[in-house]
Amino acid sequence: RKSCAVPSSPCSCSWTSSSVLLTFAVDRGNFKTCDQSAFCKRQRALKPGQSPYRALLETLELSDSRLTLQLINDNNKVHLLLELYRLQGNMTRVKINELKPLRPRFEVPDVLIAEPPTEPLSVLSKDDNGVVLSLGAKNQRLIVSARPFRLDIMQGPEVLLSLNSRGLLAFEHLRLHKDTDKEEDGLWEETFKSHTDTKPNGPTSISLDFSLPGVEHVYGIPEHADDLKLKTTDGGDPYRLYNLDVFQYELYNPMALYGSIPVMLAHNTQRTMGIFWLNAAETWVDISSNTAGKTVFGKMLDFVQGSSEKPQTDVRWISESGIIDVFIMLGPKPSDVFSQYASLTGTQSFPPLASLGYHQCRWNYNDQEDVKSVDQGFDQHDIPYDFIWLDIEHADGKRYFTWDPHKFPQPKEMLQGLMDKRRKMVAIVDPHIRVDSGYKIHNEITSKDFYVKNKDGRNYEGWCWPGNSGYPDFTKPEMRAWWSSMFAYDQYEGSMENLFTWNDMNEPSVFNGPEVTMHKDALHGKWEHRDIHNIYGLYVQMATAEGQTQRSGGVERPFVLTRAFFAGSQRYGAVWTGDNAAEWDHLKISIPMCLSLGLVGVSFCGADVGGFFKNPSTELLVRWYQTGAYQPFFRAHAHLDTTRREPWLFGPENTALIREVIRQRYALLPYWYQLLYQAHKTGMPVMRPLWVDYPKDTATFTIDDEFLIGSDLLVHPVTEEGSRGVTAYLPGAGEVWYDVHTFQKHNGAQNLYIPVTLSSIPVFQRGGSIIPRKDRVRRSSACMENDPYTLYVALSPKKFAEGELYIDDGHSLNYDTKKEFIHRSLTFANNALTSSNLCPDCNFLTSSWIEKVLILGASKPSKVLLKMDGKETPVDFEFDTSMSVLTLRKPGMNAGADWTLLLQ
Amino acid sequence: MTCVHLLLTLVFAVSLGTPVEIQRPRGVPLTKKQFYVENKPFTCLDGSRTISFDRVNDDYCDCKDGSDEPGTAACPNGSFHCTNAGYRPMFIPSSRINDGICDCCDTTDEYNSGAKCENTCKELGRKEREVLQKMAEITKEGFLLKQHLIEEAKKGQQEKQSKVTDMQGNKKQLDEKVEVLRTVKETAEQPEKEAKERHLKAWEEQKAAIRLEKDKAKMAEAFLELDDNADGFVSVSELQSHAELDADADGTLTETEAQGLMGGAEQVDTSTFESVWPNIKDKYHSESQPEEPAPVETPPDEVKEPVVDNDSEPYPEDDISEEEDEEDEDDYHEDDDKAPPTIKTPEKNHEDEEAMPSYDADTQALIDAAQKARDDFEEAEKALREMDDQIRNIEKELSFDFGPDAEFTYLYSQCYELTTGEYIYRLCPFNRVSQKPKYGGSETNLGTWGSWSGPENNKYLLMKYDHGTGCWQGPNRSTTVKLTCGKETVVTSTSEPSRCEYLIEFTTPAVCQEPANTDLSPHDHEEL
């Protein structure tokens, strides 16, 4: 929702909003540069060169699946322990820790869904200089070089990836404070903007470099407001991963934002790989490239002259504490990397269908009357929506789990009113708890001793929306269990089954803390906040989602939106890109921001439609709806100080434009739902960069102003003010794409200029795909449950198409626990469209049927027959010669049935 | 599949108390019944195509305008007609058919969704009639009140108009009177001015003479002081003992410098010293006095010394002394502020002694006469201004748009309040809207009168007040006042739909429309 403007002072933020300094740019001075972060500065001062680390080959031990080996730093004689694992699914895990640390070092729990299953490793050869290990099939080898220590992963003659090849492995071992330690190195204390970080454990940082030969494109490591393709960081700051509540973030820079997923993808035409750096402390990532400075012409010249060195990207990770625990995902296909990462951290949670509809949010809907009139406004203007949201003002004095007694005296009445319309609500529950002895939540947390402690062992307190606040220690399983129990209907008064939750400010945001977050020397049990910082937000969402599941007795799916996130957060719900602004550039950046998240597991992503800060122009608002309707999480949101912007407030023409695009969204809900199911099952991103599906087409590698939804829809939103046309790249040589509005066919592998008006949303369906839609759009997704489907069959040049249809009850976990769903494969081949069962042992009955089939790129048949239950019945059809569209009228079969439509 | 072949529906319309049986496809209003003839081909109402009748309401959309599916949700742009016998008929978008939500009070929209709808038309009809009845009563009474308001307003307006006319007549007379008195005043002021100037000049001359005398005394004193050996001459070396006279500020007065000051002479006697004195007097420090330069101002006890010729008083020095006088006065005031009152009295005396002597009797008489003329003139002028104000106020009031029949006139210069949970809202029509916290705190201006801003056909339904107190990061506060017909003039509710944009609901008889003459017979409408 929002962030604090005056972070370094006890924030007199928005409870008296007049004191918030709203200048429309981040105050960069409130956030550290690498130079201001002592460990980053120390680490970055190390230059590539001879590594002081040496592998002690005589210490090598190989059990079935685990290799251990000691490393020694020849400068200080500290021993490290290297562990190597070959993981199932073409992954390698490398762990480096101190052999005998003074105290245990933090290893991040709760991110991996299980201890990753291993595969046997074997030593192929060994001599004084190193060891060669076999990485199973495909001729993959891992070479351990002893002096200096380095690792190379090879396939055949090719080096896929090297570790410590630039000698930047640096492991600050735990030590005792010495008088000779220089104060300016910030080893034992550092101060930033009047906040002193006492470092009782001294320096603990770690660093490792990775070289990626043949790689020019790297992606991921969200969250940054930057392009999809990561930039080199030479001469600037590294990309920073440190969950922060950044007030009015700036675009196109490597500053940290609300969430962190330490996963990077490397891609070239031959292979996609991933590096997952499992560390929850403050992390910086440096990227350099030997081709970065070269122009396209320069690269060509190199190629022609044969003098080119191979392109290579070098990456260096630096974290403040913890250990080195890195997963190398070797692909080779993009989809392989997604499933490899999913096998480690899990997949996107399968959300309730309704949450894929449109969400209407504002800080704040003032009271019950307001909620009612906005709800009625949607009906009056015939615009569908599923969720209306309540921000912090709904609670009684920002005491979450309560309701303002004057504004929301009858929450159940309000929720029942929404339920009568088959709609839902989200109310915010933030993790900062008002310190108030009259507040049940605070009292229970206090009595159970669940608050985070400061370094002196007293409850940590900071300023946030309610004023003085405590922060529950979500790293404690007992705390999370208790938090979950607070969502029970008898605990959360006024809640009902159509009330869901939004976790904001869970970086955590501490208005008067360093960089608007918690002091690093605060304590979570025996661990410092420094160790766990980036995972705090994940735990908040985890406990909240668990609470929602529990309140229904484990039957219903939760829906929880979070602002902060970490690797694994995809398992708990949706993410949005935080407090953006009503500016065209913010609309544009929503695409790479969500694409980057999708690449590292978080598919259910969206940006505040309309922009959170400031008032959008009508054109920007319309364009944002048109873009947001084609992104996974579709929510309009606005700051308290903006003017109202419900969709009908901008004149009938604009209301019609917004209505139209929301209707397009609802018609496509079956497709979105099926893609979320796929993401849940396989880890495939829902909203994807083009290169994911066209990995060999270099033209797609940097595209981030258009994207794919699944494999079958290509969207090029209009994100320029006053645009009269856009140029969309349609990938795929020999393929075709159909304009979804006109059904006009275009060839693949071309830049297509599309003239646009304010009503245009350039969207194309891939030839070769079948997309099910529900064209009877109603006022909420629940109302459309039993409606019939229309199948959009877009034929490839070879007159082939395939797709899927997924149906379940839309809200329960029965799809999982009882296999209550329908999963059909739809195939068009040899002039026959066939529906076959992908899950024969599933059981679910639907009353939905197939009302219409559109076949794009078809030729006119003489007759169409429906074959079902051993019978053949003729089907009426129409053929539009101009666009080659064949429409089958009301074939009428149940959506769960086996059938074939024959074109003769 | 859930095809719905139920084409025809029985409708019982209450009309003149007799049930009438009408057959037509589901969702078709009576007015369009003729287009749907059973077993005859149906032409889409937009004429785009003709289909067989069994495709009407067959749950598949054939017509672009949705007209073939009035009773199903098949067409995205269709509409469904519910008869709602007992209440009012209505159209709903066909997307609301069988969506599980009861939209039509006669339940006809949910014929196949499993939604448990109850027919609430009778109840709704009864309630609506009650409301309408009540509204009608209010409107009727309100309209009567409005007539009264109009009469009052017209009367008031006339009164004010004639008052203005009267006042304008009076104002003319007053104008003339003021002019006469102005002449009298100016005539009396001329001799007064001359007499005062004479008096002042004499006093100024006296002051100058005193000053010159003082300077001479100081010079003589200086000569004696400088003449260290008392030989009746001031020599170069004697002068050199006064380092403060150093011209180039290097700290010492050299012989050459001293000689320069003495006009080249080695020594001077008292009379020649007169020409040296002007060169040194600015810097000269008396040996007998403290470092601070002696005030140029005459000591009090010297004031009454005999007047001496003062023609030769140099102009610049005069200037300086005046300046210093002023500064002294300033100091004085500062001292006044700080000094305890007891010290004040002697100082005042001191000032009095220096004050200008009082006027002679002739001058005083002239002054008195002029003062009288001034008082008379000012009094008349004030009366004129007051009258002007009155006229302007009335004219301003008359210039307001108080509605087509001036029915809103009575709201002028009134204020209406509403107390809510936190605030007291105050609406002063045609003036301003404000909000004050109930439990202390300052008032916030929510807007000053802007204009009528209702829809084109009746702009008098909304008032707009804007340019209120600025909102942080936002617009200035503004308020829309929505007027509805009521017997009483009251603020009924306030809200802030958008930040800093307020809405006040306000009832007044002034917007009550003449009640329609028709009776409130229930729901004949189109079912007749």
Side-chain angles (χ1 to χ4, degrees):
Chain A
R1 166 196 1 99
K2 65 210 76 80
S3 37
C4 177
V6 198
S8 52
S9 62
C11 187
S12 48
C13 267
S14 204
W15 53 92
T16 56
S17 64
S18 59
S19 64
V20 180
L21 296 168
L22 237 158
T23 52
F24 284 103
V26 65
D27 185 352
R28 284 190 185 217
N30 287 333
F31 302 100
K32 289 183 182 178
T33 60
C34 176
D35 241 19
Q36 291 166 319
S37 189
F39 77 91
C40 187
K41 187 180 179 181
R42 287 196 305 271
Q43 288 278 7
R44 231 190 177 196
L46 301 177
K47 297 298 173 202
Q50 180 88 344
S51 175
Y53 287 96
R54 181 159 54 87
L56 303 173
L57 294 180
E58 64 278 14
T59 64
L60 187 147
E61 285 178 38
L62 180 64
S63 69
D64 192 28
S65 59
R66 173 174 184 258
L67 177 144
T68 59
L69 182 64
Q70 288 181 27
L71 309 178
I72 184 167
N73 181 335
D74 279 328
N75 293 341
N76 60 17
K77 306 298 175 204
V78 172
H79 286 243
L80 302 180
L81 181 69
L82 168 77
E83 293 173 76
L84 279 172
Y85 301 87
R86 166 73 182 162
L87 302 184
Q88 286 178 20
N90 203 17
M91 289 180 281
T92 298
R93 182 180 191 176
V94 179
K95 276 175 90 166
I96 303 176
N97 197 351
E98 290 180 56
L99 182 65
K100 287 176 185 159
L102 211 55
R103 283 174 296 277
R105 297 181 66 116
F106 184 69
E107 298 187 34
V108 188
D110 301 311
V111 168
L112 301 178
I113 49 174
E115 198 51 40
T118 54
E119 281 180 354
L121 275 167
S122 57
V123 175
L124 292 177
S125 67
K126 184 179 170 187
D127 60 22
D128 287 352
N129 298 321
V131 184
V132 180
L133 299 160
S134 164
L135 286 179
K138 294 175 196 160
N139 196 19
Q140 279 182 4
R141 284 158 298 139
L142 176 67
I143 298 168
V144 183
S145 305
R147 184 191 291 264
F149 164 70
R150 74 179 261 170
L151 295 175
D152 294 276
I153 295 175
M154 314 262 312
Q155 175 157 336
E158 213 184 333
V159 177
L160 302 181
L161 180 140
S162 310
L163 280 72
N164 200 32
S165 52
R166 290 192 297 152
L168 293 169
L169 168 62
F171 209 106
E172 292 183 331
H173 62 282
L174 293 167
R175 64 196 77 181
L176 297 171
H177 195 160
K178 272 186 277 180
D179 295 339
T180 50
D181 289 334
K182 279 189 240 155
E183 205 176 297
E184 64 268 24
D185 289 340
L187 298 175
W188 296 91
E189 182 176 294
E190 71 179 286
T191 298
F192 177 69
K193 296 201 72 165
S194 85
H195 295 285
T196 297
D197 175 15
T198 67
K199 301 183 185 179
N201 296 332
T204 55
S205 75
I206 53 170
S207 161
L208 182 59
D209 67 274
F210 300 82
S211 292
L212 296 154
V215 169
E216 288 183 272
H217 294 84
V218 287
Y219 307 93
I221 53 168
E223 181 175 45
H224 299 100
D226 208 346
D227 296 330
L228 174 67
K229 177 192 178 321
L230 297 171
K231 295 168 182 151
T232 59
T233 57
D234 304 329
D237 253 16
Y239 283 96
R240 189 181 189 202
L241 293 172
Y242 192 57
N243 296 358
L244 290 175
D245 179 359
V246 180
F247 184 71
Q248 289 175 343
Y249 58 79
E250 253 179 65
L251 308 186
Y252 305 109
N253 72 50
M255 286 174 72
L257 286 179
Y258 313 96
S260 302
I261 301 184
V263 178
M264 180 184 284
L265 267 54
H267 177 72
N268 63 24
T269 53
Q270 301 306 309
R271 179 179 286 273
T272 309
M273 293 185 292
I275 298 169
F276 170 29
W277 176 265
L278 178 49
N279 189 299
E282 179 183 345
T283 296
W284 299 80
V285 185
D286 256 323
I287 298 168
S288 57
S289 157
N290 62 351
T291 55
K294 290 189 183 170
T295 59
V296 174
F297 180 75
K299 287 184 200 173
M300 270 172 57
L301 202 67
D302 282 348
F303 180 76
V304 170
Q305 294 172 343
S307 65
S308 166
E309 49 182 333
K310 195 176 180 185
Q312 176 167 314
T313 296
D314 294 308
V315 182
R316 174 191 195 179
W317 297 73
I318 303 169
S319 289
E320 187 175 11
S321 67
I323 64 162
I324 292 173
D325 189 1
V326 58
F327 297 79
I328 295 154
M329 301 172 284
L330 291 167
K333 295 198 302 291
S335 57
D336 294 328
V337 176
F338 300 134
S339 67
Q340 283 155 5
Y341 181 62
S343 74
L344 298 172
T345 66
T347 59
Q348 176 64 54
S349 65
F350 188 34
L353 172 59
S355 66
L356 291 169
Y358 172 61
H359 298 260
Q360 182 67 37
C361 186
R362 172 174 184 83
W363 177 23
N364 214 95
Y365 285 117
N366 300 326
D367 49 31
Q368 281 178 229
E369 265 310 303
D370 201 2
V371 168
K372 196 171 173 180
S373 74
V374 170
D375 178 71
Q376 284 170 351
F378 277 92
D379 286 343
Q380 275 157 22
H381 297 91
D382 201 16
I383 299 172
Y385 89 96
D386 269 83
F387 282 82
I388 186 165
W389 292 53
L390 296 181
D391 209 320
I392 51 171
E393 313 297 331
H394 87 277
D396 181 11
K398 278 91 177 175
R399 296 172 188 88
Y400 308 109
F401 299 101
T402 72
W403 305 82
D404 184 301
H406 302 293
K407 298 170 186 163
F408 296 92
Q410 303 290 342
K412 284 196 177 178
E413 199 178 289
M414 170 177 65
L415 288 164
Q416 186 60 51
L418 291 168
M419 199 179 280
D420 292 345
K421 296 268 193 76
R422 309 183 75 175
R423 288 173 178 150
K424 298 163 177 63
M425 173 170 266
V426 168
I428 200 161
V429 174
D430 286 353
H432 50 260
I433 302 300
R434 179 168 169 151
V435 173
D436 169 5
S437 59
Y439 179 25
K440 179 184 88 171
I441 298 287
H442 166 71
N443 289 342
E444 289 207 28
I445 296 173
T446 307
S447 71
K448 293 176 192 299
D449 201 22
F450 281 161
Y451 276 126
V452 174
K453 304 285 187 238
N454 65 26
K455 62 180 193 302
D456 307 322
R458 283 172 293 121
N459 284 346
Y460 178 89
E461 286 180 4
W463 283 81
C464 210
W465 298 120
N468 201 24
S469 305
Y471 291 79
D473 188 354
F474 281 90
T475 66
K476 278 197 173 99
E478 319 85 80
M479 156 61 211
R480 295 200 297 274
W482 172 83
W483 179 267
S484 299
S485 74
M486 289 298 101
F487 289 87
Y489 296 119
D490 59 349
Q491 291 292 329
Y492 190 167
E493 280 174 41
S495 69
M496 285 174 48
E497 58 268 36
N498 63 339
L499 180 68
F500 296 83
T501 311
W502 170 17
N503 292 150
D504 196 357
M505 316 296 280
N506 51 341
E507 294 74 24
S509 178
V510 181
F511 291 161
N512 57 339
E515 301 190 85
V516 205
T517 192
M518 193 172 276
H519 293 72
K520 283 176 172 170
D521 51 12
L523 293 170
H524 302 256
K526 65 174 179 172
W527 301 113
E528 283 191 291
H529 186 68
R530 180 184 337 275
D531 300 311
I532 67 96
H533 176 84
N534 282 346
I535 199 179
Y536 185 86
L538 174 145
Y539 279 131
V540 176
Q541 194 190 18
M542 177 198 259
T544 304
E546 179 56 30
Q548 271 185 23
T549 310
Q550 277 175 18
R551 71 176 181 179
S552 67
V555 173
E556 296 295 321
R557 287 175 229 168
F559 172 70
V560 182
L561 178 72
T562 183
R563 191 170 72 182
F565 50 82
F566 188 63
S569 283
Q570 71 270 16
R571 305 192 296 260
Y572 306 112
V575 163
W576 96 109
T577 61
D579 299 346
N580 60 2
E583 292 168 4
W584 288 92
D585 277 351
H586 274 267
L587 168 58
K588 285 189 195 103
I589 206 81
S590 71
I591 300 172
M593 286 180 81
C594 279
L595 286 176
S596 295
L597 276 163
L599 289 175
V600 296
V602 179
S603 266
F604 203 8
C605 168
D608 284 348
V609 170
F612 178 65
F613 293 112
K614 299 173 70 174
N615 294 306
S617 68
T618 303
E619 185 191 357
L620 175 58
L621 185 68
V622 169
R623 289 301 190 199
W624 211 316
Y625 269 101
Q626 292 173 343
T627 305
Y630 286 92
Q631 292 176 351
F633 177 58
F634 180 28
R635 182 187 75 151
H637 187 31
H639 189 277
L640 184 68
D641 291 313
T642 59
T643 49
R644 293 289 283 239
R645 52 168 100 136
E646 286 69 45
W648 49 88
L649 295 176
F650 302 88
E653 283 172 25
N654 295 302
T655 305
L657 290 170
I658 296 171
R659 177 193 299 120
E660 169 56 24
V661 70
I662 297 179
R663 290 174 67 98
Q664 287 179 23
R665 168 67 170 218
Y666 274 76
L668 278 169
L669 283 178
Y671 183 60
W672 282 105
Y673 195 48
Q674 170 203 318
L675 290 174
L676 262 301
Y677 180 73
Q678 186 193 32
H680 176 59
K681 284 291 163 191
T682 68
M684 279 300 285
V686 170
M687 176 177 166
R688 304 172 188 168
L690 271 59
W691 63 259
V692 167
D693 282 82
Y694 299 87
K696 291 187 187 304
D697 183 352
T698 54
T700 63
F701 289 3
T702 58
I703 291 178
D704 61 6
D705 56 354
E706 67 181 56
F707 54 89
L708 291 167
I709 302 170
S711 298
D712 301 339
L713 282 184
L714 182 144
V715 187
H716 188 112
V718 182
T719 56
E720 295 282 344
E721 186 170 17
S723 180
R724 287 155 182 269
V726 297
T727 301
Y729 180 70
L730 301 181
E735 296 193 28
V736 292
W737 293 86
Y738 298 86
D739 183 315
V740 299
H741 310 294
T742 64
F743 303 137
Q744 194 181 342
K745 188 161 77 178
H746 301 282
N747 289 326
Q750 67 155 326
N751 283 304
L752 179 69
Y753 180 78
I754 307 143
V756 298
T757 64
L758 195 52
S759 67
S760 309
I761 314 161
V763 181
F764 301 88
Q765 184 177 343
R766 187 175 61 81
S769 67
I770 300 175
I771 293 181
R773 289 200 217 170
K774 283 190 176 179
D775 282 336
R776 302 183 180 190
V777 174
R778 304 193 188 242
R779 65 186 130 193
S780 73
S781 64
C783 294
M784 297 162 64
E785 185 186 356
N786 297 317
D787 280 338
Y789 291 90
T790 297
L791 303 180
Y792 287 75
V793 181
L795 296 184
S796 71
K798 290 178 179 162
K799 306 291 175 196
F800 174 83
E802 61 185 341
E804 290 177 18
L805 177 60
Y806 175 85
I807 307 173
D808 64 16
D809 66 13
H811 56 85
S812 80
L813 291 162
N814 294 345
Y815 77 94
D816 188 37
T817 53
K818 300 181 182 169
K819 291 205 135 195
E820 288 182 2
F821 62 92
I822 292 167
H823 197 189
R824 313 282 315 172
S825 156
L826 304 168
T827 311
F828 185 98
N830 306 319
N831 277 324
L833 176 63
T834 305
S835 170
S836 53
N837 202 344
L838 284 172
C839 184
D841 58 337
C842 286
N843 59 92
F844 185 73
L845 294 177
T846 179
S847 47
S848 293
W849 47 289
I850 311 295
E851 69 169 327
K852 195 195 279 192
V853 177
L854 268 76
I855 303 174
L856 316 181
S859 34
K860 189 177 180 180
S862 57
K863 200 163 141 191
V864 177
L865 288 175
L866 170 65
K867 276 174 66 175
M868 198 163 89
D869 302 330
K871 281 179 284 187
E872 288 192 0
T873 42
V875 174
D876 282 332
F877 63 88
E878 281 174 37
F879 186 74
D880 174 352
T881 324
S882 66
M883 286 293 164
S884 302
V885 178
L886 176 67
T887 305
L888 309 187
R889 186 190 189 280
K890 210 182 171 188
M893 51 284 189
N894 184 283
D898 290 327
W899 49 262
T900 298
L901 282 162
L902 285 171
L903 273 51
Q904 295 181 334
Chain B
M1 68 190 259
T2 56
C3 276
V4 182
H5 296 291
L6 218 182
L7 285 179
L8 302 176
T9 175
L10 292 182
V11 175
F12 294 92
V14 182
S15 119
L16 306 170
T18 324
V20 177
E21 201 174 271
I22 302 154
Q23 287 193 321
R24 58 186 193 266
R26 192 196 297 276
V28 174
L30 253 190
T31 50
K32 289 184 178 156
K33 180 183 177 270
Q34 76 255 30
F35 303 115
Y36 298 82
V37 183
E38 206 181 343
N39 299 326
K40 294 246 174 81
F42 171 75
T43 301
C44 305
L45 296 188
D46 63 1
S48 58
R49 67 190 291 192
T50 299
I51 54 176
S52 65
F53 194 77
D54 61 5
R55 290 193 171 183
V56 171
N57 276 348
D58 72 335
D59 207 15
Y60 185 90
C61 192
D62 292 285
C63 296
K64 282 206 174 100
D65 67 351
S67 58
D68 63 316
E69 297 295 316
T72 79
C75 293
N77 51 349
S79 62
F80 175 84
H81 181 264
C82 18
T83 309
N84 289 348
Y87 187 53
R88 59 171 74 173
M90 65 177 187
F91 286 96
I92 58 168
S94 59
S95 66
R96 294 180 194 173
I97 299 168
N98 290 329
D99 68 347
I101 300 163
C102 310
D103 291 285
C104 299
C105 64
D106 65 3
T107 76
T108 52
D109 60 318
E110 296 299 315
Y111 56 86
N112 196 28
S113 71
K116 292 188 181 70
C117 300
E118 277 175 39
N119 189 322
T120 55
C121 291
K122 275 192 182 146
E123 182 61 16
L124 285 172
R126 191 179 59 74
K127 274 191 188 151
E128 190 190 42
R129 279 191 297 280
E130 273 174 22
V131 169
L132 288 175
Q133 195 88 40
K134 214 171 180 182
M135 279 291 298
E137 276 163 30
I138 290 171
T139 308
K140 202 168 147 193
E141 284 180 54
F143 188 70
L144 282 178
L145 287 170
K146 179 179 173 182
Q147 299 313 307
H148 185 65
L149 290 175
I150 291 171
E151 258 168 57
E152 290 278 295
K154 292 224 162 116
K155 220 186 285 167
Q157 226 169 358
Q158 278 164 10
E159 274 168 19
K160 276 171 193 140
Q161 197 64 60
S162 64
K163 196 173 169 193
V164 168
T165 317
D166 287 354
M167 285 169 90
Q168 272 160 345
N170 291 342
K171 188 193 156 201
K172 218 169 187 180
Q173 291 175 9
L174 207 47
D175 267 338
E176 284 160 14
K177 188 177 166 192
V178 166
E179 282 318 305
V180 170
L181 288 173
R182 185 195 304 279
T183 316
V184 171
K185 181 187 80 138
E186 283 166 1
T187 316
E189 279 174 337
Q190 189 55 34
E192 179 205 28
K193 190 181 166 207
E194 287 163 10
K196 276 171 128 177
E197 277 170 2
R198 274 196 304 278
H199 182 85
L200 185 68
K201 196 179 169 211
W203 186 62
E204 294 273 328
E205 285 166 355
Q206 187 184 356
K207 277 201 293 182
I210 291 167
R211 240 177 258 133
L212 185 64
E213 192 53 34
K214 272 195 302 179
D215 189 48
K216 278 195 168 161
K218 228 161 119 185
M219 181 178 73
E221 196 184 329
F223 187 86
L224 289 175
E225 274 178 17
L226 283 168
D227 184 10
D228 289 337
N229 55 4
D231 64 349
F233 292 98
V234 172
S235 68
V236 168
S237 61
E238 282 167 342
L239 195 62
Q240 270 180 283
S241 69
H242 278 253
E244 76 269 17
L245 299 175
D246 173 32
D248 59 4
D250 65 356
T252 52
L253 184 63
T254 63
E255 197 178 323
T256 327
E257 281 171 342
Q259 213 159 7
L261 288 174
M262 293 189 36
E266 276 298 319
Q267 57 177 31
V268 290
D269 62 6
T270 38
S271 65
T272 329
F273 187 68
E274 271 178 42
S275 66
V276 175
W277 177 238
N279 296 339
I280 63 172
K281 68 177 179 183
D282 288 346
K283 290 183 178 170
Y284 180 76
H285 282 177
S286 169
E287 288 161 15
S288 62
Q289 280 182 13
E291 280 289 287
E292 283 298 300
V296 181
E297 167 194 330
T298 320
D301 46 333
E302 285 177 30
V303 169
K304 284 183 180 166
E305 278 194 10
V307 178
V308 189
D309 184 20
N310 57 3
D311 278 356
S312 62
E313 184 81 281
Y315 183 68
E317 195 177 295
D318 203 6
D319 220 8
I320 287 163
S321 80
E322 268 174 23
E323 244 177 56
E324 286 183 357
D325 277 348
E326 276 168 27
E327 275 169 21
D328 275 0
E329 254 176 50
D330 284 346
D331 289 345
Y332 230 92
H333 289 300
E334 274 173 30
D335 288 347
D336 269 0
D337 288 343
K338 293 164 200 162
T342 44
I343 302 176
K344 239 179 183 175
T345 324
E347 279 177 342
K348 261 195 180 157
N349 288 343
H350 157 102
E351 200 175 41
D352 284 347
E353 281 166 26
E354 209 193 315
M356 188 169 66
S358 50
Y359 295 112
D360 58 52
D362 287 351
T363 309
Q364 192 58 50
L366 287 171
I367 290 170
D368 291 348
Q371 190 56 45
K372 168 84 170 55
R374 266 195 296 275
D375 291 348
D376 290 350
F377 167 74
E378 273 159 22
E379 195 183 329
E381 209 184 28
K382 190 180 162 205
L384 178 64
R385 263 200 314 274
E386 279 168 4
M387 182 163 285
D388 264 341
D389 284 349
Q390 280 180 33
I391 292 172
R392 213 174 303 121
N393 281 339
I394 297 171
E395 278 175 342
K396 183 184 166 200
E397 188 179 340
L398 289 171
S399 74
F400 272 101
D401 178 359
F402 288 131
D405 298 307
E407 61 268 43
F408 298 102
T409 311
Y410 81 106
L411 298 173
Y412 188 76
S413 75
Q414 300 293 313
C415 291
Y416 303 88
E417 287 190 349
L418 180 73
T419 304
T420 65
E422 283 176 81
Y423 297 104
I424 300 165
Y425 289 86
R426 191 174 161 90
L427 164 65
C428 304
F430 304 104
N431 183 8
R432 67 197 292 266
V433 184
S434 60
Q435 175 203 54
K436 201 177 168 170
K438 212 151 105 187
Y439 308 107
S442 58
E443 189 186 83
T444 306
N445 180 357
L446 303 186
T448 50
W449 167 247
S451 60
W452 293 103
S453 60
E456 260 172 53
N457 59 357
N458 189 357
K459 67 172 178 170
Y460 299 102
L461 291 177
L462 295 177
M463 288 173 155
K464 183 82 185 174
Y465 294 80
D466 38 29
H467 302 108
T469 311
C471 257
W472 169 81
Q473 253 290 310
N476 285 42
R477 286 175 177 78
S478 64
T479 302
T480 301
V481 178
K482 195 173 148 196
L483 291 83
T484 49
C485 167
K487 287 187 281 186
E488 320 237 302
T489 305
V490 274
V491 174
T492 55
S493 79
T494 62
S495 58
E496 189 183 354
S498 202
R499 194 155 174 80
C500 301
E501 288 174 17
Y502 296 82
L503 177 68
I504 286 185
E505 305 220 28
F506 186 58
T507 63
T508 162
V511 292
C512 295
Q513 298 292 317
E514 186 163 15
N517 245 349
T518 48
D519 257 340
L520 285 161
S521 63
H523 305 297
D524 17 29
H525 302 280
E526 61 184 48
E527 300 307 322
L528 263 171

